[in-house]
Amino acid sequence: MFVPIDLLAPILGDLLAKGRVAGPGKPWLGVNANEIAGVTHEYVGQEAVATGFCAALRADDVITSTHRGHGHLIAKGADVGRMTAELLGRVDGLNRARGGSMHVADLGLGIYGANGIVAAGAPFAAGAAWSFSVDGSGRVAITFFGDGGANQGVLHETMNLAALWRLPLVFVCENNGYAVTLPQERSTAGSVVARAAAYGMAAEQVDGMDADAVLDAAERAVATARAGGGPTFLECLTYRFFGHHTAERTMKLGYRTDDEIERWRVRDPVPLAGASLDQAERERIDHEVEALLDEAVGYARASPHPDPAGALDFVYASGPEPRRGVA
Ligand SMILES: Cc1ncc(C[n+]2csc(CCOP(=O)(O)OP(=O)(O)O)c2C)c(N)n1
Ligand SMILES: [Mg+2]
């Protein structure tokens, strides 16, 4: 198996979220150090999905992400320092600290936002895809969502129109087995792939822990979309190694067993992908990634917090004055 460096580097880039670089003097950002307000949703374990799909895209293609979006952003080329500054609520963040973890975006890179509302990115992606089918640019949109998101009505409305209008859109269900603590077998009737097939689109399951398998499926789906063949639905079977969000590190909720986590951990996509590289190359990439992360964290920490006096800046795109009071 050959994993090109531009595919592997973003996977390893997500070491930031893993805390694999944690150690003395390097606490888990925002967990032990309390530097991030609220919680974040770690992508650890699911890296092969974002990486495989984004590696199949052109720079001018578009993605919509989820509440678990850091991996999608890194894989689509977001500046890791500015993304980290956004997580820390600093002025140099990608969205000047207005977005935070769950609404971070970089429109210039075709990243139409993480999203705190489950499956809400799908219609945005369909709108982008519809514009691409009109402007003849040959661009493609991908929408990422979870197994919980697969049960949202808005996703089905989007699948219906995407299939009807043959939009250049790829639906990527990241099935990590749980919606918060609810296992998929207690939330989902039938098969999500069969549901998508019922709309008349190509639909299949993919091993979401295998970056090569994901890349292969992604390239086929993106090529079909680009050629005017309409949408594809891919259900990627994957797993999150940590809790639903970072606050779960301080709880023992018991909705899944340590045995189950260990069974998935042996298929951790990062070492699996890295195993195909020779050791010197792997070490070189690891060092490169550690340096990138140190630089990103340093950049974010050096950036000031926004001035509270500007809290209403950028609330409106232009024109209207913010209303003061309710009269
Ligand atoms: C419309 C909506 N309903 C409920 C929630 C609360 N919520 C946040 S994440 C989540 C679970 C989502 O599960 P899944 O789609 O499988 O994504 P995962 O967290 O597993 O990546 C829920 C129910 C929400 N944010 N939006
Ligand atoms: Mg899930």
Side-chain angles (χ1 to χ4, degrees):
M1 180 180 84
F2 171 68
V3 181
I5 182 130
D6 60 343
L7 171 59
L8 190 63
I11 299 181
L12 296 176
D14 205 29
L15 284 169
L16 171 67
K18 286 182 186 316
R20 282 193 174 131
V21 290
K26 278 189 182 176
W28 278 329
L29 199 66
V31 179
N32 298 336
N34 199 28
E35 288 186 276
I36 299 176
V39 299
T40 60
H41 304 78
E42 293 157 293
Y43 195 63
V44 183
Q46 302 185 200
E47 296 90 340
V49 182
T51 320
F53 277 97
C54 290
L57 291 179
R58 295 193 324 217
D60 60 350
D61 291 328
V62 159
I63 63 166
T64 62
S65 177
T66 65
H67 54 287
R68 201 175 297 291
H70 311 157
H72 304 141
L73 267 91
I74 295 172
K76 189 67 169 67
D79 183 294
V80 180
R82 293 195 60 206
M83 185 184 84
T84 308
E86 188 64 30
L87 302 191
L88 267 58
R90 307 301 176 105
V91 291
D92 295 305
L94 281 173
N95 308 110
R96 300 183 175 100
R98 265 64 178 178
S101 166
M102 273 190 278
H103 291 275
V104 57
D106 189 332
L107 303 188
L109 291 175
I111 301 166
Y112 285 13
N115 204 312
I117 303 174
V118 170
F124 297 172
W130 183 63
S131 79
F132 302 157
S133 69
V134 171
D135 71 14
S137 60
R139 287 183 285 170
V140 169
I142 289 182
T143 184
F144 295 99
F145 52 92
D147 46 292
N151 289 325
Q152 286 292 98
V154 68
L155 187 82
H156 288 268
E157 295 178 45
T158 307
M159 286 201 282
N160 179 52
L161 286 182
L164 191 66
W165 295 345
R166 294 177 73 80
L167 297 183
L169 178 56
V170 182
F171 292 90
V172 179
C173 177
E174 297 191 67
N175 183 355
N176 60 13
Y178 295 90
V180 192
T181 56
L182 187 67
Q184 199 206 5
E185 54 274 17
R186 288 183 53 209
S187 69
T188 305
S191 131
V192 295
V193 163
R195 293 177 188 178
Y199 289 106
M201 68 178 93
E204 60 181 90
Q205 275 188 341
V206 181
D207 180 354
M209 307 302 268
D210 179 341
D212 280 334
V214 174
L215 180 61
D216 178 59
E219 283 180 336
R220 283 186 281 120
V222 167
T224 300
R226 228 185 272 297
T232 298
F233 186 107
L234 294 163
E235 180 191 13
C236 299
L237 303 178
T238 182
Y239 200 74
R240 61 168 161 76
F241 294 145
F242 293 129
H244 174 66
H245 52 45
T246 42
E248 211 186 299
R249 285 175 190 260
T250 59
M251 313 168 191
K252 182 74 183 158
L253 294 180
Y255 62 93
R256 54 186 194 165
T257 62
D258 291 343
D259 274 1
E260 178 183 299
I261 298 170
E262 281 316 306
R263 277 200 304 280
W264 281 92
R265 266 207 186 271
V266 296
R267 303 197 50 245
D268 185 334
V270 175
L272 279 185
S276 66
L277 300 173
D278 73 60
Q279 203 184 333
E281 178 71 343
R282 173 75 205 253
E283 280 172 14
R284 190 189 64 71
I285 294 171
D286 282 351
H287 286 129
E288 205 174 278
V289 169
E290 285 228 26
L292 175 86
L293 298 182
D294 282 344
E295 196 185 317
V297 172
Y299 173 83
R301 284 183 175 148
S303 174
H305 289 282
D307 180 354
L312 292 182
D313 293 349
F314 321 116
V315 172
Y316 297 98
S318 62
E321 283 293 310
R323 191 168 59 155
R324 298 184 199 285
V326 292

